[in-house]
Amino acid sequence: MKISFFLLLACLLLPALSNASDVRFIQSVNRLTAPAMLVDVVDTESAALTTLAWPSELTGWVTQQQITHWLNNQMADSVKLTWSGRNKTWVSLCFPIKESELRDSVTSELSAQLAKKHVVLEQLLFEKLPCANSSEYSVRFVSLKRLGQRNAIAKFTVLSDEKSNSDIDVTLRYSAMINVLELNHSVAKFDAVNKSDFSIVKQLWTGKELPAEAVLTRHEFKKSMRKGQAVMLSDIQLKNAVTQGQMVKVMVTNGPVVIEAKGRAMTSANEGEQIKVKVNGSNSLSNAVVVAEGEVHVSV
């Protein structure tokens, strides 16, 4: 029994002792933030290797043999290398662009776009900062495209010290606030929208809210709503300038002659739309254009 126990203990300790000076790839590496250290790419228990900077010549597909050769030149034969794990990995150095060099232009453009919707930028977060090809670079803002009410993509041109240009996309998340109209009392379907019936409150913008600055002339509610509800864009509609069956003023023009008459609208319509009207005293329908609330023009 004692012999079996010691054999089992030896089997457990043997791998640990044999790997004490192992140097191996940690994982596949797409980019390293410069300056990079050797331990960013390979795993080692040797204190002598932890202070070594990653050599700039070892980029692209790098093998264990290449690193072994380089280490032997650096450390002579003082470190014994016993490799395990990956045989090669892809390494490229990254010179991350500073957020401060992107923020001002992005904030300015995004704020300008949101202002057109009566929205104020509240918070801006960059998802992942891109890299330049060298430590010496400059960036120029190109454009910004919003993707809904939370995400956006900003385009920049990067000029490196090699005098080469490269275009990059920077993803970001943002949040914005909007002043909305909150009902002071309940309303019924088709009630006229009157700003005096609202209070202004601030809330997170989702793109569905009706901005407090909206022009609400001749609008009506599409449904009944309760006191304290915020009004959404989908809650209101433009009230028809003319409704079906309504008696309207008909201005009949024939060259320089204009005659005012009364008639009945056969359909509902807004300004600029065509409808059929039946002029008083006529047995036929006439084509008319709605020009104002309760008024149409007929040309003959």
Side-chain angles (χ1 to χ4, degrees):
M1 180 65 69
K2 291 184 178 180
I3 296 176
S4 299
F5 172 79
F6 285 116
L7 285 175
L8 178 60
L9 181 62
C11 291
L12 292 174
L13 292 178
L14 184 59
L17 294 173
S18 62
N19 290 331
S21 60
D22 275 2
V23 178
R24 54 191 177 277
F25 288 109
I26 301 173
Q27 59 183 349
S28 292
V29 180
N30 291 326
R31 281 181 171 174
L32 293 175
T33 301
M37 306 303 292
L38 180 70
V39 291
D40 293 326
V41 179
V42 299
D43 188 12
T44 177
E45 296 181 10
S46 172
L49 301 181
T50 59
T51 58
L52 284 181
W54 185 261
S56 58
E57 63 269 20
L58 289 182
T59 56
W61 283 111
V62 178
T63 65
Q64 294 178 355
Q65 290 74 18
Q66 288 176 293
I67 297 179
T68 300
H69 178 73
W70 176 78
L71 282 174
N72 286 334
N73 290 335
Q74 297 294 314
M75 309 297 293
D77 294 326
S78 58
V79 177
K80 181 181 178 182
L81 303 178
T82 304
W83 285 96
S84 63
R86 298 178 182 272
N87 180 58
K88 65 178 180 179
T89 190
W90 177 269
V91 177
S92 60
L93 294 181
C94 165
F95 298 88
I97 295 174
K98 296 178 182 178
E99 181 180 313
S100 58
E101 297 176 327
L102 310 177
R103 179 170 289 276
D104 287 348
S105 55
V106 169
T107 301
S108 176
E109 176 61 23
L110 185 55
S111 296
Q113 291 189 21
L114 294 177
K116 297 178 182 179
K117 297 183 175 293
H118 307 290
V119 179
V120 177
L121 178 65
E122 183 77 4
Q123 188 179 39
L124 176 64
L125 298 172
F126 289 94
E127 292 288 294
K128 183 179 180 181
L129 293 177
C131 295
N133 294 328
S134 70
S135 58
E136 299 295 329
Y137 65 87
S138 61
V139 293
R140 178 175 62 85
F141 174 76
V142 177
S143 64
L144 182 138
K145 181 180 180 181
R146 289 185 297 108
L147 306 175
Q149 285 70 48
R150 289 291 177 271
N151 304 299
I153 295 179
K155 292 185 177 294
F156 289 86
T157 296
V158 181
L159 178 65
S160 66
D161 59 357
E162 289 91 1
K163 310 301 180 184
S164 61
N165 291 335
S166 61
D167 294 329
I168 60 171
D169 289 342
V170 182
T171 59
L172 54 101
R173 289 181 60 82
Y174 68 93
S175 60
M177 302 297 290
I178 182 173
N179 288 327
V180 300
L181 298 174
E182 186 178 87
L183 284 168
N184 292 330
H185 57 79
S186 298
V187 295
K189 186 178 181 179
F190 300 131
D191 278 357
V193 177
N194 190 331
K195 277 198 173 182
S196 62
D197 298 330
F198 300 100
S199 297
I200 297 178
V201 296
K202 181 180 289 187
Q203 65 182 50
L204 186 67
W205 181 52
T206 67
K208 299 178 181 179
E209 297 80 9
L210 175 71
E213 297 83 357
V215 178
L216 298 175
T217 305
R218 286 188 33 243
H219 281 76
E220 62 186 9
F221 289 97
K222 295 170 64 175
K223 61 182 182 181
S224 298
M225 298 184 66
R226 299 187 306 275
K227 177 182 178 180
Q229 283 187 279
V231 183
M232 302 290 111
L233 291 168
S234 59
D235 295 332
I236 64 170
Q237 64 187 6
L238 185 64
K239 185 178 181 180
N240 290 324
V242 171
T243 58
Q244 185 178 7
Q246 177 185 353
M247 293 301 296
V248 296
K249 180 170 67 173
V250 182
M251 305 301 293
V252 182
T253 60
N254 186 356
V257 180
V258 180
I259 301 174
E260 181 177 330
K262 291 291 184 180
R264 187 177 300 279
M266 307 309 293
T267 55
S268 300
N270 290 312
E271 292 180 15
E273 297 179 342
Q274 289 190 347
I275 63 169
K276 295 285 187 179
V277 294
K278 186 176 183 179
V279 181
N280 290 353
S282 174
N283 294 324
S284 60
L285 298 179
S286 300
N287 292 322
V289 177
V290 180
V291 295
E293 188 172 358
E295 181 178 345
V296 301
H297 280 191
V298 175
S299 297
V300 295

